[in-house]
Amino acid sequence: MTEWSTDPAMAASLDAADEFSSFRARFELPPPPKGATESIYFVGNSLGPMPTKAREYINRELDRWAMLGVKGHFEGAPGWADYHKILIDPLCRMVGALPHEVAVMNTLTVNLHNLLVSFYRPIAERHKILIEEHAFPSDHFAVESQIRLHGFDPADSLVTVKPRDGGELFHVDDIVAAIEEHGDSLATVLLPGVQYYTGQVMPIDEIVRAGHAVGATVGIDLAHSVGNVPLTLHDSAVDFATWCSYKYVNSSPGGISGVYVHERHVNDQSLPKLTGWWGNRMETRFAMQNSFDPYPTAESWAASNGTALPMAALRASLEVFDDAGGVVALRAKSKKQTAYLLYLLDELLDGDVKSLTPRDPEQRGCQLSLEIIPDDIDGRAVFDAIEAAGVFCDWRFPNVIRVAPTPLFNTFGEIRRFVDLLANAIAANRTV
Ligand SMILES: Cc1ncc(COP(=O)(O)O)c(C=O)c1O
């Protein structure tokens, strides 16, 4: 048990003892804005910083393009036609999946649509899909449009689960009860692995068990989970999942996404699917025939040829994770970072700032969602002030600042200084 202290010397000693401190040098962190003396990059939950090697790996592909032109598809190790293959094993380690369960393609919402085509197949008796009441809007839109695509009405078929007691956090019993309530009429459950607004880690195992018990398929949106918290998709028996890689996985703006499909489904040719030639096995792809010869793996969901430049950036980032021992190894530091931040907020800002994120370390990842409490404090002005002072974080209406100290590149010293900057901004923006 760490004995915390508000003394900045404590942050210095935590940094001196940090086994991951050398990994910060493997990123290019944005410089401070004009007028600020340092930048504190606490927004890896939105867009991760650039891994230094991304430039080298992208340049390598640009050079190969310049030198080889079209031959670059098949020449080189790897050529672009095979580039995705080097990403599969590191991604499997990150999400807890088997190699034939993961494919790299597209972006998150597009992948969600593709997976819902296969896994949300409403019929008259079983047509509902359960999501959270305030799901990420893109998921909500995707689900509504899928319901309509099948000729159903979201008013009947879109069902939601709410956080407990009008609050912000979900209780596992409420999720299970909502699934049981809709029972046989439930076709699919689609929930996040980590809730984007509160940072709450959701109980994936219990969700899957409850969904399967009523005969529904279960999908997980891993946008805020991947690279943040350990995942065991295969062992958890999740049916399908997708993620973006530009947040905690630091893979470039709009970077390439991935999909996971449990092995019991990967070779099920009865599943409807939006197919394209890249889901066709390489052995027969260039025979240019009109009979689809799918991979017996998650790759059969790939439609188009791979995008080499975003994959090169993702490669650079995954190497950093693997060199650090992966998300499981980083998790202990992450818990320590958020515990330290919570302690400092309690000691130095109690009454002004409340964390919406659960205090239970198992139910939080890197992100803490900080609510500015008193009515006499203009939360938006506080956010603007800390941003001007060099803190990269984000604002969520009505009064929440999300910060995500991240074990690969953030220090304990930054956490300590962030709390001082926040305290100063609150003091400067109290209206009475
Ligand atoms: C939880 C969640 N789902 C879906 C998305 C949409 O991702 P994309 O724009 O890459 O499709 C995001 C983006 O931030 C997200 O946070």
Side-chain angles (χ1 to χ4, degrees):
M1 225 5 219
T2 312
E3 280 290 329
W4 299 116
S5 150
T6 57
D7 185 343
M10 172 161 215
S13 69
L14 287 166
D15 284 328
D18 175 14
E19 61 178 306
F20 298 107
S21 57
S22 64
F23 284 90
R24 183 176 170 90
R26 295 183 63 174
F27 293 90
E28 294 193 19
L29 294 160
K34 223 168 160 206
T37 50
E38 72 168 325
S39 63
I40 299 179
Y41 201 81
F42 275 0
V43 74
N45 58 317
S46 182
L47 179 70
M50 190 186 104
T52 314
K53 274 219 165 170
R55 186 177 275 120
E56 178 189 326
Y57 285 173
I58 289 176
N59 277 337
R60 191 184 290 178
E61 299 316 314
L62 291 175
D63 290 344
R64 282 178 5 90
W65 183 19
M67 297 303 294
L68 297 172
V70 70
K71 292 183 182 168
H73 280 306
F74 295 104
E75 279 183 26
W80 302 315
D82 282 335
Y83 205 95
H84 59 285
K85 290 188 181 163
I86 56 172
L87 307 172
I88 299 297
D89 284 346
L91 281 171
C92 286
R93 286 191 278 281
M94 195 170 255
V95 300
L98 304 173
H100 53 289
E101 293 177 322
V102 167
V104 181
M105 62 184 79
N106 307 321
T107 42
L108 194 164
T109 308
V110 170
N111 282 334
L112 190 57
H113 274 296
N114 286 342
L115 291 168
L116 287 171
V117 163
S118 301
F119 293 102
Y120 173 58
R121 301 190 309 281
I123 51 172
E125 314 79 63
R126 190 187 278 279
H127 58 97
K128 293 180 186 166
I129 176 163
L130 182 131
I131 64 173
E132 342 151 51
E133 187 184 32
H134 292 296
F136 194 82
S138 198
D139 291 23
H140 192 105
F141 303 152
V143 164
E144 271 189 348
S145 64
Q146 288 279 333
I147 291 170
R148 290 201 179 94
L149 188 73
H150 289 281
F152 289 86
D153 182 350
D156 306 320
S157 301
L158 179 60
V159 292
T160 60
V161 54
K162 298 181 187 34
R164 185 163 267 200
D165 298 331
E168 306 287 350
L169 299 178
F170 286 94
H171 194 290
V172 60
D173 294 346
D174 299 343
I175 300 174
V176 172
I179 292 172
E180 286 172 352
E181 179 195 333
H182 296 287
D184 303 350
S185 64
L186 202 55
T188 299
V189 175
L190 176 67
L191 289 169
V194 172
Q195 213 283 339
Y196 80 96
Y197 182 64
T198 63
Q200 180 179 12
V201 175
M202 301 289 268
I204 294 180
D205 285 339
E206 288 83 351
I207 293 168
V208 173
R209 267 199 296 278
H212 288 176
V214 300
T217 54
V218 179
I220 306 288
D221 174 340
L222 297 174
H224 287 261
S225 318
V226 66
N228 177 12
V229 292
L231 293 163
T232 55
L233 296 182
H234 174 83
D235 288 346
S236 301
V238 173
D239 292 292
F240 66 98
T242 181
W243 54 88
C244 49
S245 58
Y246 45 78
K247 298 178 188 291
Y248 294 100
V249 188
N250 319 309
S251 78
S252 79
I256 193 150
S257 164
V259 301
Y260 151 91
V261 175
H262 194 276
E263 71 173 346
R264 65 183 171 276
H265 303 300
V266 289
N267 198 22
D268 179 353
Q269 303 308 333
S270 71
L271 289 178
K273 195 181 283 180
L274 298 178
T275 49
W277 72 323
W278 228 250
N280 191 103
R281 291 187 318 120
M282 180 60 107
E283 290 78 359
T284 55
R285 187 181 300 158
F286 290 93
M288 306 315 258
Q289 61 207 5
N290 286 342
S291 54
F292 186 54
D293 177 17
Y295 281 110
T297 71
E299 255 191 280
S300 63
W301 272 264
S304 291
N305 73 93
T307 44
L309 300 184
M311 286 194 205
L314 177 57
R315 174 188 194 172
S317 175
L318 292 175
E319 272 182 15
V320 180
F321 274 94
D322 271 346
D323 290 348
V327 180
V328 173
L330 291 161
R331 179 77 169 135
K333 177 176 171 187
S334 171
K335 284 181 182 168
K336 204 180 230 187
Q337 286 183 313
T338 43
Y340 181 47
L341 178 49
L342 284 167
Y343 162 80
L344 293 172
L345 293 169
D346 287 348
E347 289 297 309
L348 303 174
L349 281 166
D350 192 26
D352 287 340
V353 172
K354 185 181 108 194
S355 169
L356 296 181
T357 311
R359 296 191 80 93
D360 170 8
E362 299 310 321
Q363 285 193 64
R364 62 171 200 258
C366 297
Q367 174 184 322
L368 293 186
S369 302
L370 307 180
E371 186 180 6
I372 309 295
I373 308 166
D375 290 342
D376 65 325
I377 299 176
D378 177 348
R380 177 71 213 202
V382 170
F383 170 76
D384 291 342
I386 58 173
E387 196 175 45
V391 180
F392 287 73
C393 53
D394 69 17
W395 168 256
R396 282 289 173 271
F397 184 82
N399 57 351
V400 170
I401 295 172
R402 299 188 309 175
V403 290
T406 302
L408 274 175
F409 51 83
N410 286 128
T411 65
F412 289 90
E414 289 177 314
I415 294 172
R416 182 66 191 79
R417 290 191 294 282
F418 163 74
V419 175
D420 281 346
L421 292 172
L422 186 59
N424 292 343
I426 287 175
N429 285 286
R430 228 181 261 283
T431 50
V432 284

